[in-house]
Amino acid sequence: MSYQQHFSTGSGSRPARRNFEFGRTYVVRPKGKHQATIVWLHGLGDNGSSWSQQLENLPLPNIKWICPTAPTRPVAMLGGFTCTAWFDVGEISEDSPDDWEGLDASAAHVANLLSTEPADVKVAVGGFSMGAATALYSATCAALGQYGNGNAYPINLRAVVGLSGWLPGSRSLRSKVEGSHEAARRAASLPLFLCHGTSDDVVPYSYGEKSAHCLNAAGFRHLTFKSYEGLGHYTVPGEMDEARNWLTARLGLEGSRY
């Protein structure tokens, strides 16, 4: 079932410039006591189904996974070819202009999916590649208390995971966080877990590393960055095991050794 997001670019009643129609959302129910809900975001050209199947086999019985599918849209990096994408991107580099409207719409979709979770359930967001970029953008929105367009961000994220991704809006993040005591406090308390392979030929390792440094410099104190020697643009069981252990500890799930 598709979900259509009419995303306003301001606080007034002006019509949105673009409509983003999100694809099907897949849900993996917790096998044990429901303690946390994580929205997990796929990479460019993928869909929520593939990740839901992988996450279903991850031994985290207390987590409910929500795996949405991005809108299908033209992507500049692919010469305008249409595929599922959380936002438009011309190239993966610090100098590439950010698609703020697309980023805000996807971050709002994530927040909407988490908004109906029970009050005693901890909520988080994670993703792979472009999904990781969207998860990290959601982290910055949570810290700043607002989306890029100034609308309030409504969710209290408790953890963020990014695999083989990058940070949109990295150039201006530090000045934005340092301009608000509340933003600095929220950034300092939000745990982030980032992983990147040194042989990634899609999202260069150096860019993932710079994104981690940028987040740390902006005041995200609880940030773990793990590098994987020889790993390309994909995940491996050891990486997923480390993410599982980190989530268990940070979210205080049953069975945590910490």
Side-chain angles (χ1 to χ4, degrees), residues 27-28 43 48 62 65 68 73 89 121 127 151 169 188 191 195 199 231 234 247:
V27 176
V28 178
N62 306 114
W65 299 95
R73 69 178 78 196
V89 59
V121 168
N151 290 346
C195 300
S199 298
L231 181 66
Y234 50 87
L247 284 167

Side-chain angles (χ1 to χ4, degrees), residues 34-156:
H34 184 194
Q35 294 181 291
T37 295
I38 302 177
V39 171
W40 191 270
L41 306 170
H42 62 75
L44 180 68
D46 202 357
N47 60 64
S49 175
S50 60
W51 271 101
S52 71
Q53 294 172 41
Q54 182 171 344
L55 294 168
E56 190 163 20
N57 296 320
L58 203 61
L60 283 169
N62 306 114
I63 291 180
K64 171 185 173 182
W65 299 95
I66 301 176
C67 302
T69 299
T72 297
R73 69 178 78 196
V75 178
M77 186 170 71
L78 304 178
F81 179 78
T82 59
C83 67
T84 53
W86 298 110
F87 53 92
D88 191 19
V89 59
E91 61 175 344
I92 299 172
S93 78
E94 292 171 276
D95 302 318
S96 179
D98 292 297
D99 173 19
W100 296 111
E101 191 181 5
L103 284 161
D104 278 348
S106 289
H109 187 59
V110 171
N112 182 68
L113 290 169
L114 291 171
S115 65
T116 56
E117 291 303 294
D120 61 339
V121 168
K122 297 170 182 174
V123 296
V125 60
F128 173 77
S129 191
M130 178 179 266
T134 307
L136 292 180
Y137 181 69
S138 295
T140 64
C141 291
L144 295 170
Q146 62 183 29
Y147 299 100
N149 66 5
N151 290 346
Y153 186 81
I155 302 298
N156 177 26

Side-chain angles (χ1 to χ4, degrees), residues 57-61 63 65 161 193 237-250 253 257:
N57 296 320
L58 203 61
L60 283 169
I63 291 180
W65 299 95
V161 176
F193 184 74
E239 181 184 26
M240 296 306 294
D241 284 344
E242 289 204 68
R244 173 175 59 85
N245 292 335
W246 185 87
L247 284 167
T248 298
R250 292 297 170 268
L253 302 179
R257 300 185 302 275

Side-chain angles (χ1 to χ4, degrees), residues 122-248:
K122 297 170 182 174
V123 296
V125 60
F128 173 77
S129 191
M130 178 179 266
T134 307
L136 292 180
Y137 181 69
S138 295
T140 64
C141 291
L144 295 170
Q146 62 183 29
Y147 299 100
N149 66 5
N151 290 346
Y153 186 81
I155 302 298
N156 177 26
L157 292 178
R158 302 295 293 271
V160 177
V161 176
L163 309 181
S164 307
W166 71 95
L167 174 67
S170 59
R171 293 182 296 275
S172 58
L173 179 60
R174 183 173 181 174
S175 62
K176 288 178 180 177
V177 173
E178 290 179 345
S180 162
H181 290 299
E182 276 300 297
R185 180 188 62 78
R186 286 189 291 259
S189 65
L190 178 56
L192 307 177
F193 184 74
L194 308 183
C195 300
H196 217 107
T198 60
S199 298
D200 195 324
D201 58 353
V202 177
V203 181
Y205 173 80
S206 61
Y207 195 28
E209 190 176 41
K210 285 177 185 176
S211 294
H213 287 157
C214 176
L215 284 159
N216 192 256
F220 288 84
R221 303 288 176 227
H222 294 285
L223 185 150
T224 301
F225 180 78
K226 304 282 292 187
S227 60
Y228 292 83
E229 192 66 34
L231 181 66
H233 196 65
Y234 50 87
T235 61
V236 289
E239 181 184 26
M240 296 306 294
D241 284 344
E242 289 204 68
R244 173 175 59 85
N245 292 335
W246 185 87
L247 284 167
T248 298

